Amino acid sequence: MKLLLAISLFFSSTVLNAAPTFQVADKSRTIEIIGVVDGGIIEQAAKVRSLANTSTDPIYMLINSPGGSVMPGLIFLDAMKSAQARGVKFYCASSVLAASMAFIIYNQCDGRVAFENTRLLFHPMRISV
């Protein structure tokens, strides 16, 4: 419930710095990526696939993450790309931080919003062996 309230407030906020806004039409079609991107994001990828199989209505994401592991992040991106190929749009918001893999996910969204003080940080992917 706390997440839905935060997303609703964020998406309807008027404090955005000249960024487009949008309303969450269906709160059951929300995904959150909070904290480090790790193996847990694979469950979120499964939710993306399930939502995309149900309908082509938009999926809304709240991303506040320092990034993390490349391979689980790529699995999530594959799920996003598959859904987008079916016509699903992703609308993403970050109120604090989207860095590294979280930024790559944020960047692949069809619509993005962020507060003026949100940190969006990118660096090329590194895979260590």
Side-chain angles (χ1 to χ4, degrees), residues 15-26:
V15 207
L16 296 171
N17 185 21
T21 61
F22 39 85
Q23 295 288 327
V24 175
D26 181 355

Side-chain angles (χ1 to χ4, degrees), residues 62-82:
L62 177 61
I63 302 173
N64 286 312
S65 169
S69 298
V70 172
M71 297 314 289
L74 291 177
I75 290 169
F76 185 85
L77 281 175
D78 287 345
M80 275 183 75
K81 290 296 184 185
S82 176

Side-chain angles (χ1 to χ4, degrees), residues 39-110:
I41 200 168
I42 295 171
E43 292 173 22
Q44 299 290 33
K47 183 175 179 183
V48 166
R49 286 188 187 94
S50 174
L51 291 171
N53 287 334
T54 304
S55 146
T56 58
D57 290 344
I59 295 175
Y60 304 92
M61 288 197 298
L62 177 61
I63 302 173
N64 286 312
S65 169
S69 298
V70 172
M71 297 314 289
L74 291 177
I75 290 169
F76 185 85
L77 281 175
D78 287 345
M80 275 183 75
K81 290 296 184 185
S82 176
Q84 286 171 321
R86 299 175 87 160
V88 176
K89 301 282 187 198
F90 285 83
Y91 296 105
C92 301
S94 181
S95 59
V96 179
L97 173 68
S100 192
M101 180 52 73
F103 177 82
I104 292 169
I105 293 168
Y106 178 82
N107 191 50
Q108 295 304 308
C109 296
D110 298 289

Side-chain angles (χ1 to χ4, degrees), residues 106-126:
Y106 178 82
N107 191 50
Q108 295 304 308
C109 296
D110 298 289
R112 296 175 291 277
V113 294
F115 287 119
E116 184 175 351
N117 293 324
T118 301
R119 299 296 177 236
L120 304 172
L121 305 169
F122 170 77
H123 67 83
M125 284 188 235
R126 294 180 298 228

Side-chain angles (χ1 to χ4, degrees), residues 2-30:
K2 185 169 64 171
L3 165 68
L4 297 178
L5 177 60
I7 288 176
S8 295
L9 291 174
F10 182 77
F11 283 115
S12 62
S13 173
T14 58
V15 207
L16 296 171
N17 185 21
T21 61
F22 39 85
Q23 295 288 327
V24 175
D26 181 355
K27 291 178 172 74
S28 69
R29 296 184 64 81
T30 59

